[in-house]
Amino acid sequence: MQPETGISVDLTLIWAGIVAFAVFMYVFMDGFDLGVGILFPFAPGGERDRDLMMNTVAPIWDANETWLILGGAGLFAAFPLAYSILLPALYMPILLMLIALIFRGVAFEFRFKAHSSKYLWTSSFFIGSFFASFSQGLILGAFIDGFEVTGRDFSGSIWDWFSPFGILCGFAIVTGYALLGATWLIWRTHGALQDWCRSLAPKLLLGVLVFFALVSLITPAWNEVVRARWFTFPNIIYLAPLPVTTLLVSAWMWTAIRGGRDVVPFVLALVIFVLAFAGLAISLWPYVIPPNITIWDAASPPESQIFLLIGLAFLIPTILAYTAFTYWVFRGKLQEGEGYGH
């Protein structure tokens, strides 16, 4: 249902932008440190390289996850109907993600103090990173698939999220985060570990492009709305620059990796995620519960949105400021024996 007043439209759009921004910032900032965990057991130099890998993300990983909390809280506050439908529909993958993040967080604290049990915390860090990423892919797959809703309640099965398409999205997210992790390590390390990441990144980039192609072909094949949005005239002309730009950025990234660049591959990997996020937004807009409930249908009253916006006007700049400060303090390449003590 469309709102009747201009101010309602503005507030709902602002809140949709805030929630989308928080989710994107989480993927943007926590994706690479989850990727470091996914690559963890395969480090060529054993425990020495694993110590170095963990120390590149130890000072920042928990601040990165702040955006996940902000996105969930924003959804609950601004779109309570969406929250009440998404939660029962996605109980299982959300629970899997939270348990995996707990395993991962505990591994950060215990691994560097352990001796005989160090291998257990190494496994915990990898398993937590992998399943946190995979469960996010399952959630994404379920969101693209849509939800069965009767009235204002979720009426599907608690297992609707478990589908071949969801599993495909799970492996796509794992591969994408691994690419972010590899390019992050190219930037922050040197020597044999950096060389290994430099040889791994092109293979991961190819894997990401294959998954992008599969998701981009499967989704419009069964979703009439997405097919009409992307493949009718003149939309196909207006939207063609998005996949073309993705291919050009990927080619640039491939050249930068082969050319020995340190920072550029990581920046371009983030740009590829921005383009993927934009494609997803174009496909699903303006639905917060596809295929029937729009952001305006699910919005909370304007009075609540205004009250919460006042708090966020202080909260978001504070998060951005301490995040920027942390990244500045722990900038530069990491040497063996340096870091946060993990």
Side-chain angles (χ1 to χ4, degrees), residues 120-287:
L120 290 176
W121 299 113
T122 294
S123 301
S124 177
F125 187 61
F126 165 68
I127 292 170
S129 300
F130 179 88
F131 281 102
S133 307
F134 190 76
S135 58
Q136 289 173 24
L138 291 173
I139 293 169
L140 174 64
F143 192 76
I144 295 173
D145 262 346
F147 300 92
E148 189 175 334
V149 177
T150 302
R152 297 173 65 85
D153 299 311
F154 173 65
S155 56
S157 162
I158 61 169
W159 294 101
D160 282 356
W161 54 270
F162 190 71
S163 66
F165 183 68
I167 293 172
L168 174 71
C169 291
F171 283 112
I173 292 294
V174 168
T175 308
Y177 284 176
L179 174 64
L180 286 173
T183 53
W184 167 261
L185 291 171
I186 289 173
W187 176 16
R188 296 302 307 277
T189 65
H190 59 87
L193 179 58
Q194 186 194 47
D195 293 340
W196 175 68
C197 293
R198 206 180 286 284
S199 67
L200 190 62
K203 302 181 183 70
L204 292 169
L205 174 60
L206 187 61
V208 167
L209 293 177
V210 169
F211 279 119
F212 276 3
L214 289 173
V215 172
S216 300
L217 291 173
I218 291 172
T219 305
W222 77 46
N223 189 316
E224 187 178 342
V225 174
V226 176
R227 184 166 63 249
R229 187 157 296 176
W230 282 89
F231 295 106
T232 55
F233 187 82
N235 290 7
I236 192 170
I237 302 297
Y238 297 145
L239 298 177
L242 196 62
V244 171
T245 303
T246 302
L247 290 175
L248 291 175
V249 171
S250 300
W252 184 8
M253 182 178 167
W254 187 290
T255 304
I257 294 169
R258 296 295 189 188
R261 306 292 295 274
D262 284 356
V263 182
V264 175
F266 178 67
V267 174
L268 294 177
L270 294 177
V271 173
I272 290 173
F273 268 75
V274 171
L275 294 169
F277 199 78
L280 182 66
I282 291 170
S283 297
L284 300 179
W285 175 261
Y287 298 103

Side-chain angles (χ1 to χ4, degrees), residues 5-82:
T5 63
I7 191 168
S8 295
V9 172
D10 291 339
L11 288 172
T12 301
L13 284 175
I14 289 169
W15 268 105
I18 289 172
V19 173
F21 176 70
V23 171
F24 175 73
M25 286 299 289
Y26 172 73
V27 172
F28 188 78
M29 307 198 72
D30 207 31
F32 69 82
D33 68 58
L34 286 167
V36 169
I38 292 167
L39 300 176
F40 209 54
F42 312 108
E47 292 300 328
R48 185 195 59 186
D49 278 355
R50 283 192 273 273
D51 289 344
L52 201 59
M53 292 165 73
M54 183 172 269
N55 277 331
T56 64
V57 295
I60 52 178
W61 72 273
D62 45 358
N64 293 343
E65 291 181 358
T66 304
W67 296 102
L68 179 64
I69 299 170
L70 182 62
L75 185 70
F76 175 73
F79 304 101
L81 177 59

